[in-house]
Amino acid sequence: MELTSAQPKMRIYLAKLLANSSSTDDVLQEANKVIWTKRADWDPTTPFLKWGYRICYFQAKAFLRDQQRDKLVFREELLDLLASEVPKEAPLQKLEETLILCLRKLDLAKRKLVLNHYDPDVSFSSLALEQGITPNALSQKLRRIRHRLRQCMESSLSPHSTP
Amino acid sequence: MTPAEELVWKLVDQSISPEEFDELQELLEGSSSLRRYYQDCLETKQVLSSIASSKRHRSRVLMDLSKRTLLLSRQHIWTGLAGLLCGVLGTTLVQSAVTSKMESLSRKVIPLLSDPFEDPSETSRQGFPREKGIWSHQRQNSLASGGAIQGEHALKIVAEEGQPLGSAYYLVDLQDFPSLAEFTSRKIQVSGQYCSDAGEPKAHYSIRIAAFAESPKEVGPIWADESELFTRKLSHVGRSCFKDEKNTEWTVLSSEMEIPEGTRTLVIGLGAGSGERNGSLSTHYLDDVSVRLLLHNEESAPSDELF
């Protein structure tokens, strides 16, 4: 149960260490196997995620050792720096609710664009064609929208945001 | 967006070149705020994927504009029918009827609670409520020293020695109000009247409202743990006023809060006390508490668009 609910957070943590490599899910699966094998080692009086992050860290290092030829791999110093900065503990459900509120502040066309971008059945090129812009221009447009969404989330989740 | 932030998004989108990647590594090593931004972007991407893959979430994101369209369509139909039926002379009368009809469609007030505290035998359990619809804490109905605002009794709130406030809590479960989803703007409004025992040098009165995604039973443990409360609350407002010893009249205090999307439980806390951490035991009264939901549909495009 703990392992299931920890999956989204562990995935974000691994994606951070692996420079958002397309192998993130493979490493997560490896980490899950290790967690399952070593489940008896977890002290239930301590936070499960903290233990899970530690195992993810070692799995990420093992993966990166095997991927030395890949140019897009973080240097070890940066990897350790990123690993030491533990993500904040806002529950995924709260992040979803906040992001939905922020999305609803966009006009309808932009909401549809962002959601379609994350729809696995919609290709990036068809989305650009539908928008009547080049893929490069679409990338920039999506970056701007998501940057603003991130700003909106940050201000909504800030402790000073409540009246 | 700064060039460094642009590079982060390129990494998140897996469209970064090796040269840009090297540049970003340097920047990330030298900036904790950029590392935080990188973490946040990955988080945003993950949550967006989760929302996009959920039919329920997708419909919620795209929901309110389609409702506005429906509302406007109804308005157009009514107006058209009115014109056909009554002709030019009747138009003014019918238009006002249409406006009134639309007004009732777009605004609604649901009274949740109006408590004059007139049942002196009614007491409640100590601590935070475990279920909706009942008052809790150290309340007991009692005759107010200066006469109650409504009837003969008021709610007595005792602030224990060393406690800045004594509070009475009430939980509202929004699952009991499915029609809320039909409205784009949903507020809760709370008001109450406070007074203090003669001789209390000064008093601090407060109203707190907080929203949670959890059920009423699950909110208690969150409320008791400050760090959990900080991260789990969807929204929170607090309003206070102070009274000096010269003022012996009842004091009216009210507060309201926009109810965020995803709210299941609303916590209402009405507090009174000296307001000081080392305060002595003090007695206060609360009467004429009213709680309402104010619902509204905006027919025009949202004014707070991000772009």
Side-chain angles (χ1 to χ4, degrees), chain A residues 73-82 85, chain B residues 21-35 38:
Chain A
V73 167
F74 283 141
R75 286 190 286 269
E76 189 148 354
E77 299 78 30
L78 177 56
L79 177 79
D80 288 343
L81 198 55
L82 291 167
E85 289 166 346
Chain B
F21 184 75
D22 287 342
E23 186 188 347
L24 180 60
Q25 282 205 88
E26 297 286 336
L27 293 166
L28 284 170
E29 276 180 345
S31 166
S32 61
S33 63
L34 190 63
R35 292 196 295 275
Y38 170 44

mmCIF file of all heavy atoms in Angstrom, chain A residues 73-82 85, chain B residues 21-35 38:
data_model
loop_
_atom_site.group_PDB
_atom_site.id
_atom_site.type_symbol
_atom_site.label_atom_id
_atom_site.label_comp_id
_atom_site.label_asym_id
_atom_site.label_seq_id
_atom_site.Cartn_x
_atom_site.Cartn_y
_atom_site.Cartn_z
ATOM 1 N N VAL A 73 23.951 12.647 -19.031
ATOM 2 C CA VAL A 73 23.961 12.080 -17.680
ATOM 3 C C VAL A 73 24.595 13.115 -16.761
ATOM 4 O O VAL A 73 25.645 13.666 -17.077
ATOM 5 C CB VAL A 73 24.784 10.772 -17.663
ATOM 6 C CG1 VAL A 73 25.083 10.344 -16.247
ATOM 7 C CG2 VAL A 73 24.041 9.670 -18.404
ATOM 8 N N PHE A 74 23.963 13.357 -15.633
ATOM 9 C CA PHE A 74 24.495 14.367 -14.718
ATOM 10 C C PHE A 74 25.830 13.919 -14.132
ATOM 11 O O PHE A 74 26.026 12.733 -13.850
ATOM 12 C CB PHE A 74 23.514 14.615 -13.564
ATOM 13 C CG PHE A 74 22.326 15.463 -13.932
ATOM 14 C CD1 PHE A 74 21.063 15.167 -13.424
ATOM 15 C CD2 PHE A 74 22.468 16.571 -14.759
ATOM 16 C CE1 PHE A 74 19.966 15.950 -13.740
ATOM 17 C CE2 PHE A 74 21.370 17.355 -15.079
ATOM 18 C CZ PHE A 74 20.117 17.045 -14.571
ATOM 19 N N ARG A 75 26.706 14.895 -13.907
ATOM 20 C CA ARG A 75 27.950 14.614 -13.189
ATOM 21 C C ARG A 75 27.618 14.144 -11.773
ATOM 22 O O ARG A 75 26.579 14.540 -11.215
ATOM 23 C CB ARG A 75 28.784 15.895 -13.089
ATOM 24 C CG ARG A 75 29.446 16.300 -14.381
ATOM 25 C CD ARG A 75 30.443 17.418 -14.118
ATOM 26 N NE ARG A 75 29.785 18.688 -13.869
ATOM 27 C CZ ARG A 75 29.484 19.582 -14.825
ATOM 28 N NH1 ARG A 75 29.766 19.320 -16.093
ATOM 29 N NH2 ARG A 75 28.901 20.716 -14.531
ATOM 30 N N GLU A 76 28.508 13.342 -11.192
ATOM 31 C CA GLU A 76 28.227 12.747 -9.889
ATOM 32 C C GLU A 76 27.987 13.807 -8.805
ATOM 33 O O GLU A 76 27.128 13.648 -7.943
ATOM 34 C CB GLU A 76 29.368 11.822 -9.473
ATOM 35 C CG GLU A 76 29.016 11.020 -8.245
ATOM 36 C CD GLU A 76 29.654 9.653 -8.235
ATOM 37 O OE1 GLU A 76 30.277 9.276 -9.239
ATOM 38 O OE2 GLU A 76 29.530 8.978 -7.200
ATOM 39 N N GLU A 77 28.759 14.920 -8.879
ATOM 40 C CA GLU A 77 28.613 15.978 -7.855
ATOM 41 C C GLU A 77 27.198 16.562 -7.913
ATOM 42 O O GLU A 77 26.556 16.782 -6.884
ATOM 43 C CB GLU A 77 29.620 17.116 -8.074
ATOM 44 C CG GLU A 77 31.079 16.735 -7.997
ATOM 45 C CD GLU A 77 31.574 16.037 -9.268
ATOM 46 O OE1 GLU A 77 31.041 16.326 -10.360
ATOM 47 O OE2 GLU A 77 32.465 15.182 -9.160
ATOM 48 N N LEU A 78 26.732 16.815 -9.137
ATOM 49 C CA LEU A 78 25.391 17.384 -9.280
ATOM 50 C C LEU A 78 24.327 16.359 -8.872
ATOM 51 O O LEU A 78 23.334 16.707 -8.216
ATOM 52 C CB LEU A 78 25.157 17.845 -10.734
ATOM 53 C CG LEU A 78 23.774 18.404 -11.047
ATOM 54 C CD1 LEU A 78 23.417 19.577 -10.137
ATOM 55 C CD2 LEU A 78 23.696 18.855 -12.518
ATOM 56 N N LEU A 79 24.562 15.114 -9.231
ATOM 57 C CA LEU A 79 23.619 14.050 -8.856
ATOM 58 C C LEU A 79 23.454 14.003 -7.335
ATOM 59 O O LEU A 79 22.327 13.952 -6.817
ATOM 60 C CB LEU A 79 24.143 12.709 -9.380
ATOM 61 C CG LEU A 79 23.289 11.496 -9.010
ATOM 62 C CD1 LEU A 79 22.079 11.414 -9.915
ATOM 63 C CD2 LEU A 79 24.099 10.213 -9.118
ATOM 64 N N ASP A 80 24.578 14.052 -6.618
ATOM 65 C CA ASP A 80 24.508 14.000 -5.152
ATOM 66 C C ASP A 80 23.827 15.235 -4.576
ATOM 67 O O ASP A 80 23.084 15.157 -3.600
ATOM 68 C CB ASP A 80 25.918 13.854 -4.553
ATOM 69 C CG ASP A 80 26.471 12.454 -4.795
ATOM 70 O OD1 ASP A 80 25.667 11.554 -5.116
ATOM 71 O OD2 ASP A 80 27.686 12.267 -4.696
ATOM 72 N N LEU A 81 24.087 16.370 -5.230
ATOM 73 C CA LEU A 81 23.450 17.618 -4.779
ATOM 74 C C LEU A 81 21.920 17.521 -4.942
ATOM 75 O O LEU A 81 21.156 17.837 -4.027
ATOM 76 C CB LEU A 81 23.989 18.772 -5.638
ATOM 77 C CG LEU A 81 23.839 20.195 -5.139
ATOM 78 C CD1 LEU A 81 24.442 20.354 -3.765
ATOM 79 C CD2 LEU A 81 24.526 21.153 -6.122
ATOM 80 N N LEU A 82 21.506 17.033 -6.095
ATOM 81 C CA LEU A 82 20.062 16.891 -6.361
ATOM 82 C C LEU A 82 19.433 15.856 -5.433
ATOM 83 O O LEU A 82 18.328 16.038 -4.926
ATOM 84 C CB LEU A 82 19.828 16.484 -7.820
ATOM 85 C CG LEU A 82 20.138 17.532 -8.880
ATOM 86 C CD1 LEU A 82 20.171 16.911 -10.274
ATOM 87 C CD2 LEU A 82 19.100 18.656 -8.851
ATOM 88 N N GLU A 85 18.577 17.045 -1.903
ATOM 89 C CA GLU A 85 17.469 17.993 -1.714
ATOM 90 C C GLU A 85 16.152 17.230 -1.841
ATOM 91 O O GLU A 85 15.641 16.999 -2.920
ATOM 92 C CB GLU A 85 17.574 19.127 -2.737
ATOM 93 C CG GLU A 85 18.743 20.031 -2.423
ATOM 94 C CD GLU A 85 19.139 20.978 -3.555
ATOM 95 O OE1 GLU A 85 18.694 20.783 -4.696
ATOM 96 O OE2 GLU A 85 19.899 21.906 -3.280
ATOM 97 N N PHE B 21 22.765 20.854 -22.516
ATOM 98 C CA PHE B 21 22.760 20.032 -21.297
ATOM 99 C C PHE B 21 23.970 20.361 -20.420
ATOM 100 O O PHE B 21 23.838 20.514 -19.199
ATOM 101 C CB PHE B 21 22.759 18.550 -21.681
ATOM 102 C CG PHE B 21 22.664 17.625 -20.502
ATOM 103 C CD1 PHE B 21 21.461 17.447 -19.832
ATOM 104 C CD2 PHE B 21 23.778 16.943 -20.037
ATOM 105 C CE1 PHE B 21 21.361 16.600 -18.734
ATOM 106 C CE2 PHE B 21 23.694 16.093 -18.939
ATOM 107 C CZ PHE B 21 22.481 15.923 -18.286
ATOM 108 N N ASP B 22 25.136 20.497 -21.066
ATOM 109 C CA ASP B 22 26.337 20.851 -20.298
ATOM 110 C C ASP B 22 26.172 22.217 -19.632
ATOM 111 O O ASP B 22 26.542 22.413 -18.473
ATOM 112 C CB ASP B 22 27.559 20.876 -21.229
ATOM 113 C CG ASP B 22 27.966 19.458 -21.624
ATOM 114 O OD1 ASP B 22 27.534 18.520 -20.928
ATOM 115 O OD2 ASP B 22 28.668 19.308 -22.635
ATOM 116 N N GLU B 23 25.597 23.153 -20.391
ATOM 117 C CA GLU B 23 25.372 24.501 -19.852
ATOM 118 C C GLU B 23 24.412 24.443 -18.657
ATOM 119 O O GLU B 23 24.634 25.082 -17.622
ATOM 120 C CB GLU B 23 24.782 25.393 -20.967
ATOM 121 C CG GLU B 23 24.637 26.849 -20.561
ATOM 122 C CD GLU B 23 23.869 27.658 -21.615
ATOM 123 O OE1 GLU B 23 23.676 27.165 -22.740
ATOM 124 O OE2 GLU B 23 23.446 28.776 -21.261
ATOM 125 N N LEU B 24 23.365 23.626 -18.805
ATOM 126 C CA LEU B 24 22.380 23.519 -17.724
ATOM 127 C C LEU B 24 22.997 22.892 -16.474
ATOM 128 O O LEU B 24 22.691 23.305 -15.346
ATOM 129 C CB LEU B 24 21.162 22.700 -18.202
ATOM 130 C CG LEU B 24 20.048 22.509 -17.181
ATOM 131 C CD1 LEU B 24 19.465 23.849 -16.718
ATOM 132 C CD2 LEU B 24 18.918 21.643 -17.754
ATOM 133 N N GLN B 25 23.873 21.915 -16.675
ATOM 134 C CA GLN B 25 24.538 21.303 -15.501
ATOM 135 C C GLN B 25 25.277 22.351 -14.685
ATOM 136 O O GLN B 25 25.196 22.372 -13.457
ATOM 137 C CB GLN B 25 25.523 20.234 -15.963
ATOM 138 C CG GLN B 25 24.864 18.931 -16.353
ATOM 139 C CD GLN B 25 25.838 17.764 -16.204
ATOM 140 O OE1 GLN B 25 25.944 17.175 -15.139
ATOM 141 N NE2 GLN B 25 26.539 17.463 -17.272
ATOM 142 N N GLU B 26 26.003 23.212 -15.384
ATOM 143 C CA GLU B 26 26.739 24.281 -14.696
ATOM 144 C C GLU B 26 25.775 25.161 -13.908
ATOM 145 O O GLU B 26 26.024 25.507 -12.759
ATOM 146 C CB GLU B 26 27.483 25.166 -15.717
ATOM 147 C CG GLU B 26 28.552 24.457 -16.514
ATOM 148 C CD GLU B 26 29.795 24.170 -15.681
ATOM 149 O OE1 GLU B 26 29.991 24.895 -14.690
ATOM 150 O OE2 GLU B 26 30.530 23.219 -16.010
ATOM 151 N N LEU B 27 24.706 25.530 -14.585
ATOM 152 C CA LEU B 27 23.732 26.432 -13.949
ATOM 153 C C LEU B 27 23.077 25.768 -12.739
ATOM 154 O O LEU B 27 22.872 26.400 -11.696
ATOM 155 C CB LEU B 27 22.654 26.850 -14.965
ATOM 156 C CG LEU B 27 23.138 27.739 -16.121
ATOM 157 C CD1 LEU B 27 22.100 27.801 -17.233
ATOM 158 C CD2 LEU B 27 23.433 29.142 -15.604
ATOM 159 N N LEU B 28 22.732 24.484 -12.873
ATOM 160 C CA LEU B 28 22.075 23.778 -11.764
ATOM 161 C C LEU B 28 23.016 23.652 -10.565
ATOM 162 O O LEU B 28 22.588 23.794 -9.417
ATOM 163 C CB LEU B 28 21.625 22.381 -12.212
ATOM 164 C CG LEU B 28 20.372 22.305 -13.081
ATOM 165 C CD1 LEU B 28 20.185 20.899 -13.644
ATOM 166 C CD2 LEU B 28 19.113 22.710 -12.314
ATOM 167 N N GLU B 29 24.266 23.406 -10.838
ATOM 168 C CA GLU B 29 25.230 23.267 -9.735
ATOM 169 C C GLU B 29 25.365 24.562 -8.937
ATOM 170 O O GLU B 29 25.579 24.538 -7.728
ATOM 171 C CB GLU B 29 26.602 22.852 -10.282
ATOM 172 C CG GLU B 29 26.701 21.345 -10.478
ATOM 173 C CD GLU B 29 28.046 20.888 -11.008
ATOM 174 O OE1 GLU B 29 28.824 21.729 -11.506
ATOM 175 O OE2 GLU B 29 28.308 19.687 -10.929
ATOM 176 N N GLY B 30 25.189 25.683 -9.640
ATOM 177 C CA GLY B 30 25.409 26.967 -8.973
ATOM 178 C C GLY B 30 24.159 27.629 -8.427
ATOM 179 O O GLY B 30 24.239 28.697 -7.828
ATOM 180 N N SER B 31 22.998 27.014 -8.614
ATOM 181 C CA SER B 31 21.775 27.708 -8.193
ATOM 182 C C SER B 31 20.765 26.747 -7.557
ATOM 183 O O SER B 31 20.204 25.876 -8.221
ATOM 184 C CB SER B 31 21.128 28.401 -9.406
ATOM 185 O OG SER B 31 19.816 28.800 -9.095
ATOM 186 N N SER B 32 20.548 26.954 -6.252
ATOM 187 C CA SER B 32 19.564 26.094 -5.564
ATOM 188 C C SER B 32 18.147 26.419 -6.041
ATOM 189 O O SER B 32 17.289 25.537 -6.100
ATOM 190 C CB SER B 32 19.668 26.266 -4.050
ATOM 191 O OG SER B 32 19.392 27.598 -3.700
ATOM 192 N N SER B 33 17.906 27.712 -6.404
ATOM 193 C CA SER B 33 16.541 28.046 -6.852
ATOM 194 C C SER B 33 16.258 27.409 -8.215
ATOM 195 O O SER B 33 15.131 26.992 -8.486
ATOM 196 C CB SER B 33 16.336 29.559 -6.903
ATOM 197 O OG SER B 33 17.210 30.129 -7.840
ATOM 198 N N LEU B 34 17.284 27.289 -9.060
ATOM 199 C CA LEU B 34 17.069 26.633 -10.352
ATOM 200 C C LEU B 34 16.860 25.129 -10.157
ATOM 201 O O LEU B 34 16.057 24.518 -10.862
ATOM 202 C CB LEU B 34 18.251 26.878 -11.295
ATOM 203 C CG LEU B 34 18.016 26.447 -12.739
ATOM 204 C CD1 LEU B 34 16.884 27.242 -13.384
ATOM 205 C CD2 LEU B 34 19.281 26.591 -13.583
ATOM 206 N N ARG B 35 17.558 24.544 -9.185
ATOM 207 C CA ARG B 35 17.343 23.111 -8.896
ATOM 208 C C ARG B 35 15.920 22.898 -8.400
ATOM 209 O O ARG B 35 15.258 21.923 -8.745
ATOM 210 C CB ARG B 35 18.351 22.621 -7.849
ATOM 211 C CG ARG B 35 19.775 22.582 -8.348
ATOM 212 C CD ARG B 35 20.669 21.736 -7.450
ATOM 213 N NE ARG B 35 20.840 22.259 -6.114
ATOM 214 C CZ ARG B 35 21.741 23.167 -5.754
ATOM 215 N NH1 ARG B 35 22.568 23.658 -6.658
ATOM 216 N NH2 ARG B 35 21.829 23.581 -4.503
ATOM 217 N N TYR B 38 13.664 23.072 -11.354
ATOM 218 C CA TYR B 38 13.758 21.810 -12.100
ATOM 219 C C TYR B 38 12.858 20.747 -11.461
ATOM 220 O O TYR B 38 12.072 20.068 -12.127
ATOM 221 C CB TYR B 38 15.231 21.392 -12.109
ATOM 222 C CG TYR B 38 15.537 20.008 -12.620
ATOM 223 C CD1 TYR B 38 14.936 19.508 -13.774
ATOM 224 C CD2 TYR B 38 16.458 19.192 -11.964
ATOM 225 C CE1 TYR B 38 15.247 18.233 -14.239
ATOM 226 C CE2 TYR B 38 16.777 17.929 -12.425
ATOM 227 C CZ TYR B 38 16.163 17.457 -13.557
ATOM 228 O OH TYR B 38 16.460 16.202 -14.015
#
